Amino acid sequence: MRAIVLLCLLEAAFIQANDYSWGGPGANRVIDPTTESPCLLDQSSCGCCLMQQQIHRMGMFFNMSLNEVQKELTKAKTALSNVRASRSAFSVGLNTGTNFKCFGPFRDDMLIIYKHIFINLGDGYNAATGIFTVPRSGIYSLALTVYSDAGAPGNTLAACASLQVNDVVLAGPKDKNMQDQEDSATVVLAVHLNAGDQVSVKLPIGCFLCGDNSHYNTFTGFLLYATD
C-alpha cells in the first residue's frame, strides 16, 4: 500500500515538473534556439554555452589588443622612417695635404672652403662652396675650431674666423696677440635653424689659419632634433 502511494506522489511531481520551464512556473512559451540561450532549452548545455561566451569575449579582447599593438607598431615605424630621412651631420677639415700651409690673410673677408670631409650625412655640406644648407628645421649643434701659427716668436698671431648663418655672424672665435707663436680657439653653439638656411665660416680681414692633415681647423654641425 505504501509503495502504491509513493509511486502516485512521484508521478504527480514529475507531471508538475514538466509544467515548468526555464522562464519560471507557467511560462509555456516556445523558445527559438537561434536567438535565445541554449540554457533555456537544455540545462546540461549551460556549462558549454557559458564557456563559449567566455571564449568569445577573450577572442574579442585579444583582437582589440592586437589591433592596438599593430597601430603603435605602425606609429613607431613611421617615426623611425622620419628620423632616418631627416638625419643630418657633417664634419670637415680645412686642409687635405701633408704640407703645413696657411689660408690668409686677405684684404677682404673670405669664405672658407673646408676641403677634407670626415662625414657628410644627408649631403647638406657643399664641398665646392663651403656652405652647409639646412635640410630640415630644428635645433642644431654647431662647432668651429681655428688654429694658426705666426711662424716665429714676436710675429703677430691672428687665429680668427666668423661662424655665420645667412651672412649674419653668430660667433667668432679669435686669438690675436704677439706673445704666442701658435694658438687655437673653439666655439660650440646650439641654435635653431630653418630649412634652407645657409651656414658657413668666413675669414675676417687680417686673420689667417694654418694646418696640415692633422686637421687643426674643423667645422662641424649636426641636427639634434627636428621642430617641423
Side-chain angles (χ1 to χ4, degrees):
M1 184 65 181
R2 291 180 179 178
I4 295 174
V5 173
L6 181 60
L7 288 174
C8 291
L9 291 174
L10 289 174
E11 183 179 1
F14 179 76
I15 294 173
Q16 187 177 8
N18 287 337
D19 292 335
Y20 284 83
S21 70
W22 289 105
N28 297 321
R29 58 190 179 87
V30 179
I31 299 173
D32 185 358
T34 62
T35 59
E36 300 191 47
S37 171
C39 291
L40 299 178
L41 298 176
D42 184 6
Q43 185 179 12
S44 64
S45 67
C46 280
C48 180
C49 173
L50 294 175
M51 185 177 295
Q52 288 179 342
Q53 291 178 352
Q54 188 65 21
I55 292 174
H56 178 67
R57 293 192 189 100
M58 292 176 64
M60 291 181 62
F61 176 77
F62 175 78
N63 290 334
M64 291 175 61
S65 300
L66 181 60
N67 290 336
E68 291 300 321
V69 170
Q70 289 175 337
K71 289 179 181 179
E72 293 301 322
L73 180 60
T74 300
K75 290 181 181 179
K77 288 182 177 179
T78 301
L80 181 59
S81 297
N82 291 336
V83 170
R84 288 175 174 172
S86 64
R87 288 182 300 180
S88 179
F90 74 95
S91 186
V92 292
L94 181 60
N95 297 324
T96 58
T98 57
N99 295 330
F100 189 89
K101 57 183 179 180
C102 297
F103 179 76
F106 301 104
R107 294 182 178 180
D108 298 309
D109 292 348
M110 185 69 65
L111 188 68
I112 301 176
I113 299 177
Y114 293 83
K115 299 178 181 179
H116 181 82
I117 298 177
F118 296 104
I119 186 174
N120 191 17
L121 189 61
D123 296 324
Y125 177 78
N126 189 327
T129 63
I131 297 174
F132 169 69
T133 302
V134 177
R136 186 172 184 178
S137 299
I139 305 301
Y140 285 77
S141 174
L142 301 175
L144 176 64
T145 295
V146 296
Y147 167 86
S148 189
D149 189 331
N155 292 342
T156 300
L157 177 70
C160 41
S162 298
L163 177 61
Q164 56 187 24
V165 176
N166 300 329
D167 295 324
V168 177
V169 176
L170 294 182
K174 178 173 62 175
D175 193 337
K176 281 188 175 183
N177 63 73
M178 297 181 65
Q179 288 75 39
D180 300 324
Q181 177 179 333
E182 56 180 321
D183 213 334
S184 64
T186 298
V187 62
V188 179
L189 302 175
V191 295
H192 181 272
L193 300 175
N194 296 314
D197 285 347
Q198 294 188 332
V199 185
S200 59
V201 179
K202 186 169 288 186
L203 186 72
I205 298 173
C207 298
F208 59 97
L209 306 179
C210 304
D212 51 24
N213 58 358
S214 294
H215 306 300
Y216 303 120
N217 294 279
T218 58
F219 176 32
T220 300
F222 56 89
L223 175 65
L224 293 173
Y225 61 89
T227 57
D228 54 4

